[in-house]
Amino acid sequence: TQDAGILSELAAYRITGRVRLNRSAELVLVEVENERFLIGATPANISTIAKWPADSIGSSVTSKELADRSDD
C-alpha cells in the first residue's frame, strides 16, 4: 500500500503496541528514531494523539496499559 511505501522511506520505525478500540479504530504506539508516538487510526483518518522521547521515564507502555487507558 501507499502507507507502507511512506513508512519504508522513514528511518527505522517499530510498532511497539496496538489496541483495537472497535471494528474500525485502533491506537498504535510507534517508535521512529528517538521519539514515540501514540496514533489513533480509522479507515478515514490517522491522528497523532501524543508524542514523547522514546528514552523518557515511563515510556514503556504495554498493550494492556493502553487498553486500560482507552477505557477511561
Side-chain angles (χ1 to χ4, degrees), residues 21-72:
L21 302 175
N22 58 40
R23 288 181 54 208
S24 62
E26 64 183 346
L27 294 173
V28 183
L29 191 60
V30 180
E31 286 185 18
V32 179
E33 295 179 349
N34 291 323
E35 292 188 297
R36 195 171 271 184
F37 298 85
L38 179 61
I39 298 170
T42 69
N45 192 23
I46 297 174
S47 299
T48 301
I49 296 170
K51 176 178 117 172
W52 61 96
D55 61 352
S56 66
I57 295 173
S59 65
S60 179
V61 179
T62 66
S63 294
K64 182 178 180 338
E65 289 171 323
L66 282 174
D68 292 345
R69 290 178 188 180
S70 69
D71 292 337
D72 294 339

Side-chain angles (χ1 to χ4, degrees), residues 1 12-13 26:
T1 67
Y13 69 94
E26 64 183 346

